[in-house]
Amino acid sequence: MSDICVLGNFVADNTFYAEKLPAKGQTIFGSGFQVGPGGKGSNQAIAAARLKSKVSFLGKVGDDEYGKMAIELYKKNNLNHKTVFVSKEHPTGVAGIMVNKTDGTNAIIVYPGASMEITIDEVNEFSDLIRNSKVFLTQLEIKTEVTLHALKLAKKNNVITILNPAPAIKIEDEFFKYIDYFTPNETEAKFYTNISINSKSEAKDASIKLIQMGIKKVIITLGEKGLFYNDGKKEIHLDATKVKAVDTTGAGDAFNGGLAYGLSKNQSIEECLELANKVGGMSTIKLGAGDSMPFLKDLS
Ligand code: RIB
């Protein structure tokens, strides 16, 4: 059994580095290229596993080289990967990522491939694992009906649930009652609330709107401006960890993995946020997504 169960996608990130992002219709030369592990779910699972949590990753890959890359990654990072389905019909998903090396910002297209094909029946094969975890963490990069089913299963068994609503897509109102922690970035928070977030007071307004929608605890990550937490009683604002970012891909995933770790160790919300904030920041000083997640020893 695991302390943390992550349901989500693995894709192989094909990342191009350049001094700026190209404009629409423009071709520019890059200064680097790499292929490495990505996918929000997988990145979050790696982040938690590198902090020495017992983590299971529930997902689906293709029967191909990128699928093998995923399994190797889980073996190397001590994750339970018996929960990874291998599709004979669909290839492993891929992402095309462009990174501006000057400030680490990016633009991403994800082709989910096999990861989108995981079914409710397959999730049910591991229902005991979800029920017996301390924390269940998921995102919106697989079919929403599968995500909702798993969230329900977790919440009905008193497992702490985290939904990282990324990428931002429309979800049924029913979702909200099964979410303990909702962790959008400012763009995603705007999608769900229609409130543009440029200040702490706007982050507070958006969090109040989300709480009114039925979510228990809201954490809005604000990039270099840090984060804002609100549970209806307590509000916390933290500045971002000061680092020289070279690639912010997966920083939100690192944050969510760190949060899941803290919650699984029964840490206070203050401790969880401090740690997750640090994990998110540290992930930006290395290139890549899954490969850039810090280890416990990197945080001291
Ligand atoms: O959150 C970053 C991730 O989003 C990348 O690794 C990419 O694969 C996309 O899923």
Side-chain angles (χ1 to χ4, degrees), residues 9-15 36-41 43-44 94-97 106 108-110 141 164 166-167 248-254 288-290 293:
N9 70 336
F10 169 87
V11 299
D13 285 353
N14 287 248
T15 306
K40 297 182 194 305
N43 295 341
Q44 294 177 11
V94 287
I97 305 183
N106 62 35
I108 306 180
I109 295 181
V110 179
E141 268 186 337
N164 173 226
T248 59
T249 315
D253 301 332
M293 299 303 162

